[in-house]
Amino acid sequence: LAGGGCPARREPLRLSYADFVANERATAQSADEQRFWRDHLAGRQACVLPRWPSRRDERPAHLVRVTVAVPADVRDGLLDLARGLGTSLRSVALAAHLKVVGLLAGRTRATTGIVVNVRPPGIDGDRIAGLCVNVVPLCVELTGATWRDLVRRAFDAEREILPHRGYP
């Protein structure tokens, strides 16, 4: 509360959700962005995972939630791995995810979708009401890679696509 007990007045936003939509539309029309994604995805195949249940008309009676505690020494080892490679724990988890996707899909190059922030840059972009996200494909070559290589490849692949994350 400011001074006399009234809520402090906030300045009006300089950006709005309409700016997010305008950015997305402009990006969709960009020849450079279209070229990047066409080149980036050239020759890549979707990783189709086995379905469960096997028939579309079958539905599980209930879903089961499984919580697994990660022992402190495992957590610390993963954090040390990330720090040693100059990446984040997210990149370590992403590498493991990509390896599993590749194994389940029978592919030597894994493709998955990652959720990215596409809030308009600039003053007040963080105050815009609305979900300003996109899901973009991330592809990583799995062959000939140690776990350290996979973490680094996942990190590098994400860095490569982030400047182009606004393409719808």
Side-chain angles (χ1 to χ4, degrees):
L1 297 179
C6 295
R9 232 177 124 174
R10 293 186 98 168
E11 293 295 319
L13 292 176
R14 289 169 242 184
L15 293 174
S16 70
Y17 196 76
D19 294 297
F20 162 72
V21 173
N23 285 347
E24 187 174 73
R25 285 183 175 165
T27 302
Q29 298 303 314
S30 166
D32 289 340
E33 292 299 319
Q34 292 172 12
R35 188 176 317 105
F36 171 82
W37 285 107
R38 188 175 47 252
D39 294 347
H40 181 72
L41 296 172
R44 306 238 167 107
Q45 296 177 324
C47 288
V48 179
L49 301 180
R51 290 188 56 86
W52 184 85
S54 60
R55 292 184 9 198
R56 289 182 185 245
D57 59 337
E58 294 177 23
R59 297 283 184 247
H62 63 283
L63 297 178
V64 177
R65 182 180 188 154
V66 177
T67 303
V68 178
V70 177
D73 60 329
V74 172
R75 180 202 62 221
D76 293 345
L78 293 172
L79 287 169
D80 287 344
L81 173 62
R83 268 188 233 109
L85 292 171
T87 68
S88 65
L89 185 56
R90 172 187 164 97
S91 294
V92 174
L94 184 57
H97 167 75
L98 288 161
K99 181 66 172 179
V100 170
V101 166
L103 289 170
L104 290 174
R107 302 265 186 233
T108 58
R109 180 180 297 236
T111 302
T112 193
I114 60 169
V115 178
V116 292
N117 173 20
V118 288
R119 286 195 171 275
I123 298 172
D124 294 335
D126 61 331
R127 292 179 49 207
I128 294 173
L131 190 59
C132 300
V133 297
N134 195 9
V135 178
V136 293
L138 181 114
C139 309
V140 173
E141 178 62 43
L142 303 173
T143 56
T146 65
W147 279 107
R148 288 179 174 278
D149 294 336
L150 284 177
V151 171
R152 193 78 226 165
R153 288 177 187 179
F155 179 79
D156 291 343
E158 191 169 10
R159 278 185 43 190
E160 178 188 6
I161 64 173
L162 280 180
H164 307 281
R165 67 185 177 267
Y167 190 77

